[in-house]
Structures are given as structure tokens and as C-alpha cells.
Amino acid sequence: MADDILDISGLSVDFRTPGGTLHALRDVNLSVKRGSVLGIVGESGCGKSTLINTVIGLLPSNARVAGGEVRFDGRDMLKMTPGQLQDLRGQRMTAVFQDPMTALNPVLTIGQQMVAIQYRSGASTREKRRRAAEYLAKVRIPDPEPRLGQYPHQFSGGMRQRICIAMALLAEPDLMIADEPTTALDATLELEVIALLKDLQREVGCAVLFISHHLGAIAQLCDDVAIMYAGEVVERGTVREIFHDARHPYTRALLTCDPGRIREATRRLPTIPGSIPDLRRLPEGCIFRPRCPERFERCAEHPGDRRITETQFAACHKALDLAPLERIEA
Amino acid sequence: MSALLEIDDLIVRFRHPGSMLDRLRGRGRQDIEAVAGVSLRVEQGSTYALVGESGSGKSTLARAIVGLVAVAGGSIRFEGRTIASAGQSDLRAVRRDIAIMFQDPIGSLSPRRSVRSILSEPFKVHGVDADLSQEVARLLTQVGLSPDFADRFPHQLSGGQARRVGVARALALRPKLVIADEPTAGLDVSVQGELLNLMNDLQAKLGVAFLMITHNLHVVRHVADRMGVMYLGRLVEEGATGPIFEQPRHRYTQALLAANSEPDPDADVQRLPIRGEVPSLIARPSGCEFHPRCGFALDICKTKLPELTGADGIRAFRCHNPAGVKTAETVPEPA
């Protein structure tokens, strides 16, 4: 049995567009350890969605995997037949998406939907319904039994997202992919959903691939973190390494920009000057070079992964030389 | 000098049809109060932030100011003139002075119209005689976009650029007040900083006041002069931003601040003294409306709505057992 439930190595994905080939992912290396939570952080256009769509096999028809492997429990998913993939998805690998308002079918009751997704199980409908109620209780929905008969609109946004989580966990998967599951929720509910995810993840023992651009959520939930920028993983490490000793200038810029980390009230918020490069015409060398405050001559060649510790890697020539990131204290 | 915008005891009611069963039983319709007696003032050239969870009535309040929903009670005054009170509204005179920026930047721009056409529209609607191409170029430059953007269409803009166009449109007629509904929702942190810096620069240059609706408290701390915390249509705490962040008095404010914690893997997550979700407006809890979720509720909280404490203009709140008072502190019950 492989140590990593999901192991992505050297993954590159291209899109055919009218303006030329767009290199959406380039040489991505990532792994999710069994029973652990990996967080992926990055801004719009960094390739987070392309990455998960590759993993669940939902790439659009103009996309092409240009190289690399996506190993699920040791087997390369990119070489699987559609039937083999179908056996994994919804069973050993499940997903929770961003918008809880549209993820559920509005004309079916919660109970019908929760029974329907257990279609692979040979159990009786009565047993499936009992399990559905059990999982509703697990996500702390009060009176689960009668609520199975209700429709999605009778639940609040936070409850609907918890129902989606319950449905993703019903199959007792090995890996749950959570794509921005808390973005549409208020801060108080977000915290509740994060705490719940953390408890359930321990209870069910599944691994989670958690995608978010909210650093607070990542810090609280994840064991390991990967930072993506313009289609590359620029830094990865344990959650403490990333938040306390980031080594890539982009990670550091991202952390600095978070208004939650700025202790003193200020009218002038930090930003990252410039914008994401055109992925059809990639710049030479380091992808972050045009916006990087630390750039120097050697950045014209791609740095590749620099090993910082046993668990931390950063794609930067200066990764080992940067001074510790100063906390902005009051 | 009177404030730019003064809202006194504002009430906005919506009719709730009730269930079919209730109607058959003759219980009929009932009204819900989405805004239940809100008073606040926005000074000239300042930023006021309204915060609260979904369903707290923030957006309804903003809509009432621009006349998109009818006012059932209280009054709204702009530069000393009453622009809306129960059953009446007289916005004509102030239409050009109050602008609104909606939440969804791309959705609020017509997909079939160029940026030039979008930015010229306010001038045409208000019959302002101006050199439109010059005005459009001026507005684009003002928000940090090159004048070439005039020929683009909304789908050719990034999220951040679309917001800038939204800001430019709101500022077209040089309003005195801009209502910004979630101006940074969905933006990446680096772009969010750019937009807020831009709004801040424009405020300093043009003297425009912002009424900002947001649930991002980190942002509030950096950009707002005053803030109001809404819960079920009421302001539970209101005042200058600094003191509220330093020591929130209402337990709900305290919980919101705790929920917006700093991103640190070693932060203590379990300190959140808040439970469950916002109750329904149809069944408002008795007494203090926050008591069912409050970890510090006393018996009195279940029966009596707390009075507004502290009318010194710096900060006011409604709580029987406020934070920051050692003697009245009770141990939170386990959740």
C-alpha cells in the first residue's frame, strides 16, 4: 500500500485556445498522505481548478495532459479506462464544491438525494435511509430523521454545505476533494464548517485535498500546504513551515497581503504589483520573475524545486538565502 | 455641521406570505422587519462600514437609502434634507449625489455594452452636457486604467478591472456618497488591496464618503472610520472602528472578531463563543435576539431587549452582559 493516497508527479496540462496553446499546469508535483489534509492556495488563474479537474477527470475537451502521472493509491489514473475511473469516483474519491446552493437538486428531498448516491451499496433502502440520517447527525443537523423529508430550500446555506459534506463522506472515501467549500459562507459559519471538517476527517480517516484562497482556513485545517502561481507549485511544506518560514517570494507576498496579518490599522494595504503572465507566452526562467522584488540575473533560468527541509520545497534561487519573514507587529 | 447621511430609527418591512396552511386557517400574512430601527450617521468624506452575517439586513438598509425598497418607519436625511420617511421618498434631488456599487462586478455591467457606453450612461440619464469621450478617459485614468479600456466589453476584463470600472461608473457624476455593497468579495488578496487603496486615494482626492457593506472584518479595520454591527436588522454595536476592535462590548461583535482570526496554524480555534446560525426573521427570539447563540446569556437576556448603552458618539451597544466588564462575566456554557 502506497504511503500517499494521491501522488501527482510532473503533471503538465495544456489547453488549445484560438490564441495558441495555453500551458495551464507545468510540472506539478504534489502528494496527499493517507488521512492527512493538503491545502492548495493560490489566486485566480493559478491552476487550482485545472488541477482538481484533472484529478477527477473533468477536463474539458480542449485540454490535454502533456505529461506526468496522477497516482491514486499507487495506480496511475491517467492510464485508467473510463470504467476504472468511474469505480473510483464517488466511491473512493468524492468531492464538495464551492456553491452549496447549486450542488443539491432543488426538486428532490435531501433524503432522496442521500439515498440515491448510495446506489453502489447493496443495502436496502431502509438501511440507506438510516445511514443518511446517521451522517446528517454527524454534520450536526438537528432532528435528522424528519429533515430527510425536506427540500434543499428549507435549509440555510451553512446547513446545505454541511449536507454536501455529509454526502461526500457517506461513501467513506479515501480522499475527499473540497474545492473552496467555505468561500460562500460567513466567517462564523466558515469556522464551524472548518471545525466540522477537521473532526469528521479524523473520524472517517479520509485524506482531504482542500482548495482555498483564504489563508485563515488553510492555517486552521491543513497539515501540509502547497502554494500555486500561474500553473506551477512554487512552494510546498508543512503548514507551520509555510506560515512561519515561507521561502518563496510569492508565498511571502501573499502572506504579507493578507489584511488579517497586519496588526496596526493602515490605510495603505500591501499589494503584489503586476499581473499573472500570459500562459500562452510564458516568460523565460522563473515564472514569478516579472513581479518579484528579489529578482536577479539568475532568475532568467528556471530554478526548479529547491529542497529546504525534509518536507519543504521552494522554486526559487534565493530560497535558502532569504531572511526570515518579519511579522508585522503593532 | 450636520452629517452627510443621517438615518433615524429606520424600519423596512417585507410582507411574508406565510404558509398555505396558515392562510387557510385565516392567520394570514405577517410582516417581517428586515431593518428594525437603525440609526446611524455618515460624515462627509468618511468611510462607514456595515458588517454582519448574511441575512442581517445590511443590503436592505443600503437599498432603502437609494430608494430601491420602501421605508416603513423612521427617516433618512441627506445633507439635512429628508429623502425618505414612512411611505414617502423624494430622491430626485439627491440621485446624482448618491451612487451605488453593486456586489457582482461583472454581473452589474451589461455584457452587450462597451466600457465607454457603460461609463457614458450616467451622464445621459441625468442629462449632463459633457464631452463624453473626455469624461470617459478621465474616469478611466482616475481608477488607474488606461483610456484604451473604453473599447473593451465586460467579458474582456479581469475581476479587478471590472471592479475598477464599477468604481469609475459610481464616481461619474462626482457623488458625495457611494454605497459599496461587498466591494472586495471574491477578489484575491493582492487585488483586494489595490482596490481598497484606490478607493482610499479617491476619497482623499474627491472627498467622497463611502458606506461600505462587508463581512470581511480585516478590511473594515484598515479602511473604515466608523462601523456598525448588524444582527437581525438591528445595530447591536456602533461606533468608531479603533475602539470597537480594541475592545468589542457586544458579545456578537466579540464573536465576529474571533471568527476573523489571524491566519496562524497555532491559533486557538476553540474559542468561538457562538453557536448555530442566524435565526429566522419570522420567529425573532424574545429579549436580546442574540441570546440563543450567546455563550454569556443571563436570564434577563431571554425576556428584555437591552437598551442602547453609551450614547457618547464614540460607541454604543445593546447588551445586558457586555464584554470588557470583569464583574458581570459568566462562564460560557459548554456548546
Side-chain angles (χ1 to χ4, degrees):
Chain A
M1 201 162 88
D3 278 350
D4 297 326
I5 187 70
L6 185 72
D7 183 18
I8 300 173
S9 58
L11 181 69
S12 299
V13 174
D14 292 343
F15 283 93
R16 272 195 328 274
T17 71
T21 306
L22 188 149
H23 306 280
L25 291 181
R26 296 177 310 282
D27 195 21
V28 167
N29 296 303
L30 277 182
S31 57
V32 187
K33 292 196 278 292
R34 253 170 227 286
S36 80
V37 185
L38 172 72
I40 298 184
V41 195
E43 298 188 281
S44 325
C46 73
K48 296 178 297 213
S49 303
T50 306
L51 181 72
I52 48 169
N53 285 339
T54 312
V55 174
I56 24 190
L58 287 181
L59 281 178
S61 57
N62 65 336
R64 187 180 69 91
V65 176
E69 289 183 337
V70 177
R71 294 188 167 274
F72 183 85
D73 202 6
R75 289 159 62 215
D76 189 356
M77 291 178 66
L78 301 176
K79 297 211 176 77
M80 284 186 195
T81 63
Q84 286 171 320
L85 270 178
Q86 202 52 43
D87 286 342
L88 286 185
R89 286 186 303 218
Q91 188 65 23
R92 299 193 58 196
M93 187 197 303
T94 59
V96 179
F97 294 102
Q98 180 169 349
D99 189 355
M101 306 298 160
T102 55
L104 297 167
N105 186 332
V107 299
L108 295 178
T109 63
I110 295 300
Q112 286 171 315
Q113 298 183 57
M114 293 186 77
V115 168
I117 64 155
Q118 299 178 59
Y119 70 97
R120 291 170 214 254
S121 142
S124 65
T125 304
R126 178 192 296 262
E127 167 62 15
K128 285 178 184 170
R129 223 179 143 76
R130 188 199 61 72
R131 257 175 67 80
E134 179 195 334
Y135 272 81
L136 275 192
K138 273 194 190 175
V139 293
R140 297 177 208 146
I141 303 245
D143 309 321
E145 202 68 61
R147 297 217 77 166
L148 283 177
Q150 292 189 334
Y151 291 89
H153 75 268
Q154 290 167 299
F155 294 84
S156 69
M159 280 178 148
R160 273 184 258 188
Q161 194 58 296
R162 298 207 307 260
I163 293 168
C164 292
I165 294 173
M167 289 172 78
L169 292 173
L170 256 176
E172 294 181 353
D174 293 315
L175 175 70
M176 175 165 80
I177 296 171
D179 184 8
E180 305 255 8
T182 59
T183 305
L185 304 178
D186 284 321
T188 46
L189 292 180
E190 172 169 35
L191 219 68
E192 213 174 86
V193 169
I194 298 265
L196 180 77
L197 265 176
K198 210 168 175 168
D199 290 350
L200 288 177
Q201 182 259 337
R202 283 199 196 118
E203 196 181 318
V204 178
C206 70
V208 179
L209 184 61
F210 182 77
I211 289 106
S212 180
H213 62 248
H214 183 180
L215 293 169
I218 295 275
Q220 273 157 16
L221 181 67
C222 301
D223 301 304
D224 300 297
V225 179
I227 312 283
M228 289 188 73
Y229 176 74
E232 291 179 14
V233 173
V234 293
E235 182 161 9
R236 58 203 155 93
T238 65
V239 69
R240 282 187 181 76
E241 283 167 342
I242 298 293
F243 279 89
H244 294 161
D245 190 23
R247 294 274 111 207
H248 194 284
Y250 176 67
T251 315
R252 295 156 72 106
L254 209 55
L255 291 172
T256 314
C257 279
D258 191 326
R261 275 175 67 99
I262 306 165
R263 292 272 166 83
E264 186 92 329
T266 171
R267 287 274 157 145
R268 187 131 298 268
L269 295 162
T271 61
I272 306 177
S275 52
I276 290 189
D278 184 346
L279 297 183
R280 285 168 299 200
R281 279 172 283 279
L282 292 170
E284 287 279 301
C286 170
I287 186 76
F288 189 55
R289 180 171 61 141
R291 302 173 78 182
C292 184
E294 303 282 347
R295 63 174 177 264
F296 67 126
E297 309 83 64
R298 260 182 68 206
C299 301
E301 65 186 82
H302 197 282
D305 269 356
R306 300 284 163 123
R307 192 192 194 106
I308 316 288
T309 65
E310 198 66 20
T311 43
Q312 190 179 10
F313 295 85
C316 177
H317 291 294
K318 282 192 175 174
L320 292 160
D321 312 327
L322 294 175
L325 184 61
E326 270 186 42
R327 296 288 297 263
I328 301 148
E329 299 285 343
Chain B
M1 198 184 82
S2 68
L4 182 66
L5 179 75
E6 287 171 278
I7 297 177
D8 278 310
D9 209 19
L10 187 75
I11 296 171
V12 176
R13 284 199 191 97
F14 289 121
R15 180 145 283 190
H16 185 268
S19 71
M20 182 61 91
L21 195 66
D22 282 348
R23 271 185 274 168
L24 288 174
R25 281 177 181 150
R27 280 227 298 270
R29 294 149 193 273
Q30 57 187 132
D31 285 342
I32 56 168
E33 289 193 346
V35 177
V38 167
S39 303
L40 62 87
R41 298 157 66 88
V42 181
E43 302 291 336
Q44 216 114 35
S46 72
T47 299
Y48 191 102
L50 269 180
V51 303
E53 291 170 280
S54 314
S56 61
K58 311 179 294 258
S59 296
T60 305
L61 178 62
R63 290 169 152 264
I65 298 168
V66 289
L68 290 174
V69 294
V71 169
S75 69
I76 303 173
R77 277 179 297 162
F78 189 79
E79 292 187 309
R81 182 184 351 188
T82 304
I83 57 169
S85 57
Q88 293 187 13
S89 90
D90 182 17
L91 282 156
R92 257 170 313 164
V94 296
R95 282 259 187 246
R96 287 170 60 174
D97 292 328
I98 305 179
I100 187 161
M101 275 165 63
F102 290 101
Q103 184 165 352
D104 178 2
I106 299 191
S108 67
L109 305 176
S110 167
R112 295 177 41 176
R113 301 177 63 178
S114 65
V115 169
R116 181 192 313 284
S117 152
I118 289 166
L119 292 182
S120 314
E121 191 179 27
F123 297 96
K124 291 180 181 155
V125 168
H126 289 276
V128 179
D129 194 21
D131 179 349
L132 289 182
S133 60
Q134 205 180 327
E135 287 294 326
V136 167
R138 174 184 68 87
L139 288 170
L140 286 171
T141 318
Q142 201 167 52
V143 296
L145 294 174
S146 103
D148 317 340
F149 273 86
D151 295 318
R152 296 211 192 175
F153 285 85
H155 72 269
Q156 294 167 312
L157 303 173
S158 71
Q161 288 164 347
R163 302 254 173 167
R164 283 168 187 264
V165 172
V167 174
R169 181 173 59 175
L171 292 173
L173 298 171
R174 304 174 201 262
K176 293 175 179 150
L177 174 69
V178 172
I179 296 168
D181 193 351
E182 300 276 7
T184 63
L187 285 184
D188 291 322
V189 280
S190 61
V191 184
Q192 166 180 297
E194 272 171 34
L195 188 81
L196 293 170
N197 291 344
L198 172 75
M199 288 172 67
N200 194 41
D201 291 346
L202 291 172
Q203 182 168 62
K205 204 164 113 194
L206 308 172
V208 59
F210 287 109
L211 177 65
M212 190 187 280
I213 296 162
T214 180
H215 58 245
N216 188 337
L217 281 161
H218 294 317
V219 163
V220 170
R221 192 165 64 112
H222 297 302
V223 304
D225 301 293
R226 287 179 76 83
M227 64 187 283
V229 181
M230 280 189 86
Y231 189 75
L232 287 189
R234 269 185 239 282
L235 281 178
V236 295
E237 184 154 4
E238 199 279 322
T241 309
I244 291 182
F245 272 86
E246 206 156 291
Q247 174 61 70
R249 302 302 303 276
H250 197 283
R251 297 297 180 178
Y252 179 61
T253 317
Q254 195 186 15
L256 278 186
L257 292 185
N260 280 269
S261 59
E262 159 183 24
D264 182 346
D266 297 314
D268 182 9
V269 208
Q270 294 307 325
R271 68 197 148 162
L272 189 73
I274 191 170
R275 297 184 288 247
E277 301 192 11
V278 183
S280 160
L281 284 167
I282 303 159
R284 276 179 183 276
S286 61
C288 168
E289 285 142 354
F290 184 58
H291 86 259
R293 302 173 75 192
C294 184
F296 300 88
L298 309 172
D299 282 341
I300 186 173
C301 302
K302 290 173 192 148
T303 53
K304 193 168 175 291
L305 182 69
E307 296 290 321
L308 201 63
T309 318
D312 55 2
I314 297 168
R315 179 222 306 254
F317 61 94
R318 290 174 185 275
C319 183
H320 287 302
N321 185 10
V325 183
K326 282 284 164 282
T327 46
E329 202 104 348
T330 55
V331 182
E333 304 156 38

